[in-house]
Amino acid sequence: MENRFSVSLARVRTGLLYRVLFSYDFMLTFFGSMPALVNAHRRVNLLVVGYRIRATSQKSLPFKCCNTADSGLLVGRWIPGHNSAVVLAVIHYPFIPGQVKKYLSELQSQTQVDLTVLGSWSMPKEGQEGMDSFLKDLSTIFPQKCWLQLSREIGKRGFTCQVVQNNGRLLQDREQKNGEGDKIILIHYDQRKVMLSQLHPVQDVGQKSDVEASELRLVFQTVAQSQPLFFLDKYDDGPLKLSHWQSEGREASIIAELLKQASVPVCIFLTWLLSLWYWFCSFRILHLPPVLFISSKLSTCVQSVYRAVHFRTVFSPKKAGTHVEFMRKANIFVSFLVDIALGLLLISWLYRENRISKLADTLVPVADRVAKELQELLEWLMGAPAGLKMNRALDQVLGRFFLYHIHLWISYIHLMSPFIERILWYVGLSACLGLTFALSVLSDIVALLTFHIYCFYVYGARLYCLTIYGLSSLWRLFRGKKWNVLRQRVDSCSYDLDQLFIGTLLFTILLFLLPTTALYYLVFTLLRLVVVLFQGVIHLSVDFINSFPLFAIGLRICRPYRLAEGVKFNVLCQEPGTPLHLMMEINPLKCSSVLQCYRTPTYSCYPKDSWAGLCKKLFVGELIYPWKQKTDKTD
Amino acid sequence: MRYARPKNAGDLKATIRATWALITPEQCHRLVDSMPRRIAAVIQAKGAPTNVISMAEEEFTDINGNSISLDCQTHSDFCREFTVTSPKLSLRKVMVYTCFVWLFAYAVFFFTENTAVLSSAIILTLAGMMIHIHFVKVDHETLLIIGSLGVQLSSSYASGRESTIFIEMNKLKDIVINEAVYMHSIIYYLCILIKDPADPETVTSVVPLFQSSNPRLNCLVQVYRSCQEILAQSR
């Protein structure tokens, strides 16, 4: 059994309802029937010098907690605004009151928690019968508004609690009648878990939101901030002997300490490397508009910029202040490691069995086949596609224009084909920078290879857009109306006869040319959409790898008490005549809330337009860029 | 008899006779059967008051007519726990569903001669049963009310999983019974009104209780009365 400290949270209510919190080691002595709560497999590490060696087999150490601790003073904090008190430690006899006060004021300045002496705890052993009166007299030495007296007799399960109120000079004991008088609730909880846990939704420490902060939040904050109190253990030779969850000696691990020491110089070195990279990126030549334009389109550059920002967060030598910062650092670090690991896996798969050369060998025939398919498509369009009759002349012009483009592209691919294997080999090596890099490079390669499809789409869309625009304008002329740019509306207008004649003529010509241009536009838009879809899938997976909070999910699964959504209470059976005893456990955060709360903000790709807007744009012929990449903003 | 106010001795006699007649033999049987249990509890508590409920237990049903049971435990003056237990998973239903799915799979196998159909049917049945037990079937729901601390609602599923919510007392405005009109029926449900501590007059949200067991009004009234006693103390 470990040594668990019992923390009491006593709540004193104006309606005279008190609550005290203790650790659940209490349960082990009294109600051995709750084995699930005993965390017997504490991490067993070697202890560094400065702590005490603790062997693995020594599991039967007599734990000391408030319940089995010797009699002493209760030290803790009164929660303002609620009638509660948190007991954090028990100071044993003998002690000098002056030393106690000095120690408490030191701790107060260190932890910003106003620690005071709350009352007395008495568990009299044999031969210590005069304790009770001695304890009552202590309340005069440590003047308080309310003085708690908790006592437990050996052999009994529950313990009694009396509250002595100090109204000026009058001390009133309200211990008699059960019906009137103070009602007390004693709440037990595991101090270590509450100290390490973080209540959600997370609020900043400095933020003064509500006048009444929730009581639970105050409890969690008090225990978390009182960590320096738990550094004194029984092996320290000081004037005070404390009992708390670590009073049997602190545990530590050599590996963790070494890592902590080593991390600072490593972080400094990496920050220096990053500053070199930033200096390189700040060259004037890289800030010319064409270079900027290309680098904003290539997803590899975007991804590398994004990673650089991440590294700056992670490798800063400053320790993370708040919980949110710490989680973000940890999430980024873990996802980076996983990224590298997946990239190395990909490399090991790609470079085995000569897969790269096989890939390079199939690339050129695939490109040839795509070009041939496109040519057949264009021949089909130049004939009578799907039985539609096209305008012969325009058809031939457009068809020959696009066929020439394809011919250019194929010659370019053939020119490059001897070097493709070398290029692919080196590009594949870039996967060692992470799987996200490899995917970004793939997306860029696809974009470059299908550049001609993009060009065709732009030509077709522009032509179609012009046709539609001309048609709508001439249709207005046909009806005798005009678009008023100043008023942004359609006004009637009287045209001359020759204007009307030419306008109607042009309208008819454009109308009969419309099916041809519309068909070319349709075909090339569909091709472009296929490519865009493929690129979109790659971007989504890159985004997923970037933003998934692996560390938070791992923490939720392995140490669920660290991320707390709330608490749950169990009623502990007690003997009649004793106050109510409750057991408080931490209710962990749901996995979906973890994802929502700790998702790293990314440059997520999302459609700029809604579906209706997209359809309208497609119909009119405006160029669409469906995947807009925003800068690093939170969603 | 609590509600009748007899004005004279004759009235009192009549009221007593009427109330006596309302006691059914089943209630007497139940009280007699519970004697050994209650005596054992008193012995264990060495003469102090016990937590065993001593009044006659009514038969409660839910809105669909299935019988449920309500268990009230009084831990202290200001702490009570109510547990509503739903009927357990019926073995007959499970067998019917399984036989149906497997017969269908056999029929498909008969036509296609593909054994993957059979194995997929088995896997489907097992997965469906596990999902149902772990996520859907609620075994009992508990309401623990602790005066001046708060209210805790927990649902325990058939696989043992428990999901718990704790609402602090400063966020709780009141516990009320509300009516809902659904199609052609009126359903009563117990709910907690939540308020924001900064603005105590407005109700920010409503948390319905016992959503899986759906007890009827008689059960809800009992729980409501107990809760109001405790809430009145803490105001």
Side-chain angles (χ1 to χ4, degrees), chain B residues 15-234:
Chain B
T15 316
I16 292 177
R17 283 220 177 90
T19 316
W20 188 266
L22 284 177
I23 301 178
T24 62
E26 287 80 20
Q27 281 176 319
C28 300
H29 285 317
R30 233 177 278 130
L31 283 171
V32 164
D33 287 337
S34 67
M35 272 304 281
R37 185 166 53 98
R38 286 187 278 137
I39 301 257
V42 170
I43 291 175
Q44 199 181 21
K46 296 189 176 45
T50 60
N51 289 340
V52 178
I53 190 163
S54 51
M55 58 189 223
E57 291 169 11
E58 284 176 55
E59 287 292 324
F60 295 115
T61 58
D62 71 356
I63 54 177
N64 298 321
N66 309 317
S67 79
I68 56 176
S69 67
L70 172 72
D71 181 34
C72 313
Q73 259 189 311
T74 309
H75 297 291
S76 139
D77 287 343
F78 47 85
C79 175
R80 290 202 192 140
E81 189 169 358
F82 306 98
T83 310
V84 174
T85 316
S86 310
K88 306 268 187 241
L89 201 58
S90 134
L91 198 61
R92 199 158 49 118
K93 259 199 199 169
V94 170
M95 299 285 292
V96 162
Y97 277 133
T98 317
C99 288
F100 181 69
V101 171
W102 285 1
L103 279 175
F104 182 69
Y106 268 114
V108 174
F109 171 69
F110 182 67
F111 287 114
T112 60
E113 303 289 333
N114 189 4
T115 51
V117 173
L118 292 177
S119 37
S120 64
I122 292 176
I123 292 175
L124 206 75
T125 325
L126 280 175
M129 209 162 1
M130 287 202 294
I131 290 178
H132 183 76
I133 291 178
H134 196 68
F135 292 108
V136 175
K137 177 85 189 108
V138 169
D139 190 45
H140 58 261
E141 294 176 289
T142 312
L143 171 72
L144 172 70
I145 177 161
I146 308 170
S148 97
L149 188 59
V151 172
Q152 174 171 294
L153 322 168
S154 92
S155 321
S156 161
Y157 292 84
S159 66
R161 175 172 86 100
E162 279 205 25
S163 87
T164 320
I165 310 173
F166 178 72
I167 301 171
E168 293 180 69
M169 202 45 108
N170 61 352
K171 290 209 181 74
L172 189 139
K173 184 156 197 261
D174 205 355
I175 298 184
V176 295
I177 297 184
N178 222 354
E179 284 179 341
V181 180
Y182 179 67
M183 302 278 242
H184 52 271
S185 52
I186 299 182
I187 301 177
Y188 295 96
Y189 61 97
L190 197 63
C191 61
I192 298 181
L193 304 176
I194 309 275
K195 67 171 192 231
D196 187 16
D199 183 13
E201 291 310 311
T202 50
V203 174
T204 51
S205 60
V206 168
V207 176
L209 305 176
F210 303 127
Q211 276 189 294
S212 307
S213 11
N214 290 319
R216 284 208 170 155
L217 190 60
N218 47 3
C219 181
L220 292 178
V221 163
Q222 229 177 339
V223 177
Y224 170 78
R225 286 214 182 106
S226 274
C227 291
Q228 287 295 330
E229 280 169 20
I230 296 188
L231 287 181
Q233 282 175 15
S234 59

Side-chain angles (χ1 to χ4, degrees), chain A residues 73 93 95 120 133-143 147:
Chain A
L73 282 181
Y93 307 112
F95 57 83
S120 65
S133 52
F134 172 56
L135 293 170
K136 271 202 195 110
D137 298 333
L138 276 176
S139 60
T140 52
I141 309 178
F142 300 100
W147 181 260

Side-chain angles (χ1 to χ4, degrees), chain A residues 47 97 159 205 229 296 365 381 424 433 457 506 510 573 601 603:
Chain A
L47 296 180
F159 36 93
V205 175
L229 180 64
S296 73
L381 281 178
L424 266 185
L433 288 169
Y457 163 71
L506 287 175
L510 279 179
C573 319
Y603 65 99

Side-chain angles (χ1 to χ4, degrees), chain A residues 216-230:
Chain A
L216 271 179
R217 202 169 279 278
L218 287 171
V219 169
F220 275 69
Q221 262 174 21
T222 307
V223 182
Q225 281 171 352
S226 317
Q227 224 169 350
L229 180 64
F230 308 131

